[in-house]
Amino acid sequence: MVPRVRIKDVAMLAGVSTATVSRTLSSPETVGQKTREKVIKAVKATGYRINGAARDLRQRRARSILILAPNLSNTFFSQIFAAIQEEASEVGLTVQISDSRIGRDRLLSLGQDGRADGIVLLDGGLDPDVVNGWNLPLIQLSEWNIAYDAPRLGIDNHAAADLAVEHLAGLGHRRILHVSGPQENVLAVTRQEGFLAGAKKRGIDQSVFPGDFTLEAGAEAARFWSTMQHRPTGVFCASDECALGFISECAHMGFEVPGDVSVIGFDDIDFADRFLPSLTTIHQPRNEMGRTAAKRVIAMMRAAQGEDAEPAPDLKDSIKATLVDRASTGRAAL
Amino acid sequence: MVPRVRIKDVAMLAGVSTATVSRTLSSPETVGQKTREKVIKAVKATGYRINGAARDLRQRRARSILILAPNLSNTFFSQIFAAIQEEASEVGLTVQISDSRIGRDRLLSLGQDGRADGIVLLDGGLDPDVVNGWNLPLIQLSEWNIAYDAPRLGIDNHAAADLAVEHLAGLGHRRILHVSGPQENVLAVTRQEGFLAGAKKRGIDQSVFPGDFTLEAGAEAARFWSTMQHRPTGVFCASDECALGFISECAHMGFEVPGDVSVIGFDDIDFADRFLPSLTTIHQPRNEMGRTAAKRVIAMMRAAQGEDAEPAPDLKDSIKATLVDRASTGRAAL
DNA sequence: GAATCGGATGTAATCGATTTCAATGGTGCC
DNA sequence: GGCACCATTGAAATCGATTACATCCGATTC
């Protein structure tokens, strides 16, 4: 182990005080020309890097954003993470990630140990006491929970579900099955409500199969669907994975999509476009979601640290979901 | 903003010194029964949480692992991230992630600002000076670079490619096309070498189409394939995305998989199993990879901090890739 | 020439924990 | 009873930066 270079070493080498070195690095304009040069030379010579822990302690901030999601391996989050990290990196912040289902105590610690100064929360299922107990700038993204005392950002899931129904109805489908997500999930419930409202509004014969967003649930729903007496001709799945599972199982059972049944998904994951048939779905702009959430929470962090000379930039609150019409939906057979 | 509770406040409330509070929290067995109880009561009453920055500074460690990957939105990494975070969380470490393509200086800082004490590197394309300059426990995962002075972990890509060739050859294919990855990528090059060696060994007529792992490259390769005079009957793609792109484009052009051409991918991403046809591919155990890498780097961190009373657990170094035989490959037509 | 001003720099306090070292008091043994 | 020992505890040093405050010095003003 090479002994680390400290600010004192640099100061000594440059023949100045540590205060001057610190100033040279953080606000060079307050240091004299010649001194500045000496210091910079010494910094280069020693390969000095500021010790983050020391700086964080003194400044009572962590220069770090914490992302919490209920399941890091869910590929839906990947682009969101990437977008947040990009925004963060741009302003010199680091990014921590953690699964949000790691136990109450650990979770509380994450938000209270002073090593993060802002949070992007992608989980609406946590104990509100924990979330509100963090007392940090926080934004809810995608999922939400009204008990959390924090702004939220995401698409209008109710309206998006209505888009799906509208699309199927427009193609002449009069019987539609909804494969829902887990009932404890806000997104699932809201999409289902949107579906039900949309179906009712249009006088459509609806039914719901309880799923859980997974491929397997979709496959199971397909098997159920095949046994129905009056088979719905349209199916709206609460997630793309679920829709792919449905279609895949249909193929195995000898049904054609969209010939025998039109299927529409939700999310527009990467493979939706390349699946066979390509999947009609509701597009969630995940990149934009991550980016906007990051900007928001960064603005909140600035404000919390009293740097809010200028007000936080005006960011639009709601993100617009759109329907992408591909090959998995078609006219209803008569 | 609620003023944070400091250790001093707890000490005062419990009527003891800060040293005793600290000890109660980190090594309770050294504190008297009654004192311990008083302190714990005071901790609960105040809701005290240790300030991470202060502790990190004093102990000269960060309790954090840094993950670096060339593109966070690549869904191949999701499971790896999840596995690493799980292992880390279990031993009380936090996880930072960053794109590894953020510029030399930022990158150097990440490994030198003392806010991480171990690194899992998923990028073999960084400047070796930067990587070796970190001087932190580090493990290379999946991708690697011999110029990095650090252990590596991953599957044997050469052998895995041979598995693919063997499979196709076993099905009677005598002409095989390889859709490669970018030539500056170690994985791509090694897989290609394995392919070439495997083909030569078996007297197979080979050709290579230069791709870049993406869906689009696969589609492009398919268009190229369709124009070949003696069309290969087997195709080995360097990634699953690429294979899906190939198959999808084939379908659009009216070819059948595996009727007209057998396609095999690489990685076994989540959707490989549910694609139509389901994709024969080389399975990379990403969960195990992440988990093992995390264990390794944690052991290295322990050793670096002098806690290596016991030697690091004996972890197997190489991870085994296997071929998953699904529906996208079949006997070669005569 | 004295007083004033302000830019550049240094000294020392500070952030909030951990840990070394010394002091204390109780216990057991002779 | 006296002494050695051990378990507890506290005072103060420490980690490595930032920053409030004091100081110094040359230039400007009257």
Side-chain angles (χ1 to χ4, degrees):
Chain A
M1 276 293 130
V2 181
R4 273 218 162 327
V5 181
R6 287 145 310 164
I7 198 170
K8 214 190 288 185
D9 306 317
V10 179
M12 212 160 291
L13 181 63
V16 300
S17 73
T18 62
T20 300
V21 176
S22 176
R23 280 190 283 252
T24 307
L25 262 28
S26 58
S27 46
E29 72 282 1
T30 66
V31 174
Q33 173 78 45
K34 295 171 76 174
T35 319
R36 202 187 314 167
E37 280 163 13
K38 275 191 302 182
V39 172
I40 289 174
K41 202 158 81 179
V43 166
K44 283 214 178 109
T46 53
Y48 170 72
R49 298 268 154 181
I50 294 173
N51 178 309
R55 190 236 267 124
D56 289 352
L57 173 59
R58 178 63 231 246
Q59 298 190 327
R60 293 140 149 252
R61 62 167 76 168
R63 296 161 194 272
S64 181
I65 294 179
L66 173 63
I67 307 179
L68 291 171
N71 177 5
L72 299 185
S73 69
N74 185 337
T75 58
F76 173 76
F77 296 132
S78 308
Q79 256 189 58
I80 293 181
F81 293 166
I84 294 175
Q85 121 81 31
E86 204 169 307
E87 287 291 328
S89 179
E90 225 147 77
V91 294
L93 300 173
T94 60
V95 174
Q96 295 176 56
I97 51 169
S98 175
D99 195 295
S100 50
R101 304 296 170 95
I102 50 172
R104 188 190 166 89
D105 207 58
R106 255 190 232 293
L107 202 55
L108 256 176
S109 269
L110 276 182
Q112 294 196 148
D113 70 359
R115 305 207 298 173
D117 25 35
I119 299 181
V120 177
L121 180 58
L122 287 147
D123 188 341
L126 303 179
D127 181 347
D129 288 343
V130 172
V131 175
N132 296 327
W134 283 326
N135 204 41
L136 276 184
L138 182 151
I139 187 162
Q140 310 183 58
L141 182 58
S142 182
E143 286 191 23
W144 74 93
N145 185 322
I146 49 166
Y148 300 165
D149 185 21
R152 61 165 133 128
L153 186 68
I155 61 164
D156 180 341
N157 284 272
H158 195 284
D162 190 69
L163 274 184
V165 179
E166 179 185 42
H167 176 71
L168 290 172
L171 287 168
H173 296 274
R174 309 300 304 159
R175 271 199 309 285
I176 303 182
L177 170 68
H178 173 51
V179 185
S180 73
Q183 295 304 302
E184 67 276 13
N185 180 288
V186 219
L187 299 176
V189 171
T190 314
R191 286 171 198 171
Q192 177 167 337
E193 286 167 2
F195 164 75
L196 292 175
K200 184 165 185 187
K201 183 165 69 184
R202 298 181 180 84
I204 279 171
D205 184 6
Q206 58 78 13
S207 46
V208 173
F209 180 87
D212 63 359
F213 288 144
T214 62
L215 282 165
E216 200 36 61
E220 203 180 317
R223 290 189 290 273
F224 167 76
W225 168 84
S226 73
T227 68
M228 291 175 79
Q229 265 204 325
H230 295 287
R231 284 197 206 108
T233 58
V235 176
F236 165 43
C237 294
S239 81
D240 279 357
E241 295 207 22
C242 181
L244 300 187
F246 192 100
I247 295 175
S248 158
E249 191 67 16
C250 276
H252 292 149
M253 294 187 300
F255 294 101
E256 296 217 331
V257 175
D260 295 314
V261 56
S262 283
V263 178
I264 179 168
F266 204 110
D267 286 347
D268 196 18
I269 60 175
D270 289 347
F271 293 104
D273 183 33
R274 280 294 172 177
F275 198 71
L276 295 173
S278 63
L279 188 68
T280 296
T281 188
I282 303 293
H283 178 75
Q284 291 210 58
R286 287 171 288 159
N287 195 290
E288 183 190 345
M289 287 165 69
R291 202 166 292 283
T292 310
K295 281 193 176 130
R296 263 292 206 92
V297 81
I298 289 170
M300 290 166 73
M301 283 160 50
R302 287 236 170 84
Q305 274 149 17
E307 291 180 18
D308 54 347
E310 52 195 324
D314 190 27
L315 295 162
K316 56 176 188 288
D317 270 332
S318 76
I319 303 260
K320 186 153 186 192
T322 51
L323 187 137
V324 189
D325 189 4
R326 299 209 184 91
S328 66
T329 49
R331 291 234 127 251
L334 292 188
Chain B
M1 279 291 131
V2 180
R4 273 220 162 327
V5 181
R6 287 145 311 164
I7 197 170
K8 214 189 290 185
D9 305 318
V10 179
M12 211 161 291
L13 182 61
V16 299
S17 71
T18 62
T20 299
V21 176
S22 176
R23 279 190 283 253
T24 307
L25 262 28
S26 58
S27 45
E29 71 282 1
T30 67
V31 174
Q33 174 77 45
K34 295 172 75 172
T35 319
R36 201 187 314 167
E37 279 164 14
K38 273 192 303 185
V39 171
I40 290 175
K41 202 157 82 179
V43 167
K44 284 216 178 107
T46 54
Y48 170 71
R49 298 268 153 181
I50 295 173
N51 178 308
R55 190 236 268 125
D56 289 352
L57 172 60
R58 178 64 231 245
Q59 298 189 327
R60 296 144 144 242
R61 61 168 76 171
R63 295 163 196 272
S64 182
I65 294 178
L66 174 64
I67 306 178
L68 291 171
N71 176 4
L72 299 184
S73 68
N74 184 337
T75 58
F76 174 76
F77 296 133
S78 308
Q79 256 189 56
I80 294 181
F81 294 166
I84 295 175
Q85 120 80 31
E86 205 170 305
E87 286 293 327
S89 178
E90 224 146 77
V91 294
L93 300 173
T94 60
V95 174
Q96 296 175 55
I97 51 170
S98 175
D99 196 296
S100 50
R101 306 298 171 91
I102 51 172
R104 188 189 166 88
D105 207 59
R106 255 190 231 292
L107 203 54
L108 256 177
S109 270
L110 275 182
Q112 294 194 149
D113 69 359
R115 305 207 299 172
D117 25 35
I119 299 181
V120 176
L121 180 58
L122 286 147
D123 188 343
L126 303 180
D127 181 347
D129 288 344
V130 172
V131 174
N132 296 327
W134 283 326
N135 202 42
L136 275 185
L138 182 150
I139 187 163
Q140 311 182 58
L141 182 58
S142 182
E143 285 190 24
W144 73 92
N145 186 321
I146 50 167
Y148 300 165
D149 184 22
R152 62 166 132 127
L153 186 70
I155 61 164
D156 179 341
N157 284 270
H158 194 283
D162 191 69
L163 273 183
V165 179
E166 178 186 41
H167 176 72
L168 289 172
L171 287 168
H173 297 274
R174 309 300 305 159
R175 270 199 310 286
I176 305 182
L177 170 69
H178 175 49
V179 185
S180 72
Q183 295 303 302
E184 68 276 12
N185 181 287
V186 220
L187 299 176
V189 171
T190 314
R191 285 171 198 170
Q192 178 167 337
E193 286 168 2
F195 164 75
L196 292 175
K200 185 165 186 189
K201 183 166 70 184
R202 298 183 179 81
I204 279 171
D205 184 6
Q206 58 78 14
S207 47
V208 174
F209 181 87
D212 62 0
F213 289 144
T214 62
L215 282 164
E216 200 36 60
E220 203 180 316
R223 289 189 291 271
F224 166 76
W225 168 85
S226 72
T227 68
M228 291 175 79
Q229 265 204 322
H230 295 286
R231 281 193 208 113
T233 58
V235 176
F236 166 42
C237 294
S239 81
D240 279 357
E241 294 207 23
C242 180
L244 300 187
F246 192 100
I247 295 175
S248 158
E249 191 66 15
C250 277
H252 292 149
M253 294 186 302
F255 293 100
E256 295 218 331
V257 174
D260 295 313
V261 56
S262 283
V263 179
I264 178 168
F266 205 111
D267 286 345
D268 196 18
I269 59 175
D270 289 346
F271 293 105
D273 182 33
R274 280 292 173 180
F275 199 71
L276 294 173
S278 63
L279 187 69
T280 296
T281 188
I282 304 292
H283 177 75
Q284 290 211 61
R286 287 170 288 162
N287 196 290
E288 185 190 345
M289 288 166 68
R291 202 166 291 284
T292 310
K295 281 194 177 129
R296 265 289 208 92
V297 81
I298 289 170
M300 292 165 71
M301 284 160 48
R302 288 237 169 84
Q305 275 148 16
E307 290 181 18
D308 54 349
E310 52 196 323
D314 188 27
L315 295 161
K316 55 178 191 290
D317 271 331
S318 76
I319 303 258
K320 188 155 184 191
T322 51
L323 187 137
V324 190
D325 187 5
R326 299 208 184 92
S328 65
T329 50
R331 292 231 127 253
L334 292 187

